[in-house]
């Protein structure tokens, strides 16, 4: 599978052309794997936009922690 670049995905997501789930799983195979693990750990449905949004928040928190250290 060819993965679109992040900026293209973000534009598509913000325009409402793709779901939060598609935004997450189309970034890379590693992020998809992380997302599926996150859903298993949290007991969330990986096909749910609310789970994808929770994952995006989780990743943002990790990123903010990593740059503040």
């Amino acid at each position: 599978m060819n993965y679109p670049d992040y900026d293209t995905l973000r534009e598509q997501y913000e325009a409402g052309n793709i779901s939060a789930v598609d935004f997450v799983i189309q970034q890379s195979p590693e992020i998809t794997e992380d997302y599926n693990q996150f859903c298993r750990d949290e007991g969330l449905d990986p096909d749910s936009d609310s789970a994808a949004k929770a994952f995006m928040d989780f990743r943002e928190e990790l990123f903010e922690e990593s740059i503040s250290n």
Side-chain angles (χ1 to χ4, degrees):
M1 176 175 183
N2 290 334
Y3 290 87
D5 70 79
Y6 180 81
D7 291 334
T8 301
L9 274 177
R10 184 157 196 92
E11 287 171 14
Q12 290 292 312
Y13 174 63
E14 289 175 351
N17 296 330
I18 60 173
S19 68
V21 173
D22 288 335
F23 175 71
V24 169
I25 65 173
Q26 291 183 26
Q27 290 181 43
S28 74
E30 294 81 15
I31 290 178
T32 300
E33 187 176 316
D34 289 350
Y35 173 62
N36 287 323
Q37 185 62 53
F38 173 82
C39 288
R40 282 192 296 273
D41 292 348
E42 301 295 321
L44 300 171
D45 176 2
D47 295 324
S48 158
D49 266 9
S50 60
K53 289 174 184 174
F55 179 73
M56 287 189 273
D57 290 344
F58 170 74
R59 286 186 53 86
E60 189 173 318
E61 287 172 21
L62 286 181
F63 177 74
E64 288 173 2
E65 284 176 18
S66 72
I67 61 173
S68 68
N69 291 334

